[in-house]
Amino acid sequence: MINVIKKLKNYTSYRSVDLLEEAVACFLESADNPLKLVESIIFSCIAIEKIIREKLQIINPALILSEIDPFAIAKLSKKENQLIKKPLKKIKIKSANILTLFNRFFLFCEGVKYRNGLERLFEIRNEIVHSSNEYVNESLINIILTKYAFPFMKMYSGIFDKKLWEEINRMAKIAHDMFQVDLNKKITAAKKKFDLLSEHTLKQKLESKLILGLDESEERLNLICPACRKLTTSLVAGIDIDYNPDGPPTTNVYSYTICRACNLELDSIEYKEIINHPEKYLGKGKSWSVIEDLESPDPEYDDYYGID
């Protein structure tokens, strides 16, 4: 795994189109080699970030900066010689982290429907890079790549010919079917564990607080659980900060749902599946649409836009 990551770091200077081609090629070769799926994830993330930076720089070079600094803008625009007041120290350009780039990009560019999947892809990339755990959830990654990452890439690259795109769409359908099977297995396993709980144990679980990470918070929504059918599902949101000695830290916001009764935990892609197909998982007349309302950004908050 470490050798794979070291090798891929050498590709950061490549064009986004080349990276996209590598990402798709690795994905297609991943059936017999799981490490190829890891390579596809990392190639995709590098390519997506390059696309976003390139598009934002065309709109305005300042949009890729961590802070809106006039000296840094002058250097980035190659207009340092036009500065009347010279900087007191050497100008350093600090790039914005990926979350800020997403915020700014989707203010100007199409494709916001892919954002949730793209953010989850970057979370998985971070888990791979910063963890010794080599296990990857193939059905989840396949659906993220085929239904979110590759369509986003297609929108801004045009590298997919008609036959290749038809094949990816076919695989997206297969990936979604496999994803649904895995999700239903996960729900069924939680239901079986719940059925073994005594009334006393259940009461204790419901009265106790969730054990959360340092940067996590719970929104107790009391939504119906697809496994145990109790009104005990909460939304948890957190922040993952990856400190970078050479630049600004990379901040990823993540969320998941968890049932306080049966402990069924679903990541953002899994609970989006339930939001999109409520009757299939929750029953007639039931819904998790309140989660979408909570996740909808409030345009009055400047920090959402990532603009200082």
Side-chain angles (χ1 to χ4, degrees):
M1 180 71 73
I2 293 173
N3 290 334
V4 169
I5 293 167
K6 284 182 177 178
K7 184 183 81 170
L8 293 179
K9 284 183 178 178
N10 296 328
Y11 285 85
T12 53
S13 61
Y14 278 45
R15 297 181 308 155
S16 58
V17 171
D18 298 327
L19 292 162
L20 297 181
E21 290 176 348
E22 290 290 342
V24 174
C26 288
F27 174 74
L28 296 175
E29 295 169 14
S30 65
D32 300 320
N33 185 354
L35 281 181
K36 285 292 182 180
L37 195 58
V38 172
E39 291 188 25
S40 183
I41 292 167
I42 300 177
F43 274 129
S44 295
C45 287
I46 297 171
I48 289 165
E49 187 166 346
K50 273 187 173 288
I51 288 172
I52 289 173
R53 289 185 183 278
E54 289 165 3
K55 295 295 181 183
L56 288 176
Q57 195 159 356
I58 290 171
I59 296 167
N60 191 312
L63 291 172
I64 69 167
L65 298 175
S66 177
E67 296 179 1
I68 309 302
D69 177 2
F71 292 124
I73 294 171
K75 182 173 183 178
L76 198 63
S77 306
K78 298 180 180 180
K79 295 179 180 178
E80 291 174 86
N81 60 335
Q82 295 182 24
L83 288 170
I84 297 174
K85 181 180 178 181
K86 302 301 181 182
L88 298 176
K89 55 184 179 179
K90 186 178 179 181
I91 300 173
K92 290 184 179 180
I93 296 177
K94 293 184 178 180
S95 298
N97 61 46
I98 190 62
L99 181 62
T100 299
L101 292 175
F102 276 139
N103 287 340
R104 294 172 180 173
F105 180 84
F106 289 118
L107 281 176
F108 294 96
C109 305
E110 297 292 332
V112 70
K113 64 181 179 180
Y114 302 122
R115 176 171 180 163
N116 181 258
L118 299 182
E119 289 185 354
R120 186 70 184 97
L121 185 66
F122 275 81
E123 287 174 29
I124 293 170
R125 188 277 309 269
N126 288 346
E127 291 167 7
I128 292 170
V129 172
H130 300 294
S131 172
S132 58
N133 181 15
E134 298 188 7
Y135 168 77
V136 291
N137 184 334
E138 291 190 26
S139 67
L140 176 62
I141 292 168
N142 285 336
I143 199 170
I144 290 173
L145 289 173
T146 57
K147 293 182 75 69
Y148 295 89
F150 292 160
F152 177 81
M153 295 176 184
K154 180 177 183 290
M155 180 181 291
Y156 289 103
S157 72
I159 69 163
F160 297 98
D161 61 40
K162 185 177 179 181
K163 286 187 177 180
L164 178 58
W165 189 241
E166 288 175 353
E167 180 65 14
I168 287 176
N169 278 332
R170 186 184 70 82
M171 286 188 285
K173 175 65 170 65
I174 295 171
H176 189 240
D177 290 343
M178 293 174 60
F179 173 75
Q180 288 181 322
V181 169
D182 285 349
L183 179 56
N184 277 297
K185 284 162 61 177
K186 190 173 184 178
I187 292 170
T188 301
K191 173 68 167 64
K192 286 187 175 182
K193 288 181 180 179
F194 174 80
D195 290 342
L196 298 175
L197 294 178
S198 66
E199 288 289 333
H200 176 69
T201 302
L202 177 59
K203 183 180 179 182
Q204 283 185 320
K205 284 173 67 66
L206 296 180
E207 290 176 350
S208 62
K209 290 185 177 181
L210 284 178
I211 299 174
L212 302 173
L214 291 175
D215 295 311
E216 292 184 340
S217 61
E218 176 193 7
E219 188 75 35
R220 191 167 288 199
L221 302 176
N222 294 327
L223 298 172
I224 186 171
C225 174
C228 66
R229 301 293 167 168
K230 298 290 185 182
L231 299 175
T232 46
T233 297
S234 296
L235 178 69
V236 176
I239 300 175
D240 176 34
I241 301 175
D242 179 21
Y243 292 99
N244 177 11
D246 301 319
T250 299
T251 305
N252 290 303
V253 176
Y254 62 89
S255 59
Y256 60 92
T257 61
I258 186 165
C259 174
R260 288 177 285 109
C262 69
N263 282 58
L264 175 67
E265 185 176 317
L266 303 175
D267 73 16
S268 58
I269 301 299
E270 291 169 328
Y271 72 64
K272 287 286 185 183
E273 169 73 11
I274 291 176
I275 290 172
N276 292 333
H277 305 92
E279 286 198 11
K280 181 175 181 179
Y281 295 98
L282 306 175
K284 191 172 182 179
K286 306 297 182 182
S287 171
W288 277 11
S289 59
V290 65
I291 294 179
E292 287 189 308
D293 296 336
L294 286 171
E295 291 182 332
S296 297
D298 187 338
E300 292 183 4
Y301 288 105
D302 290 339
D303 57 346
Y304 163 72
Y305 295 111
I307 297 176
D308 304 310

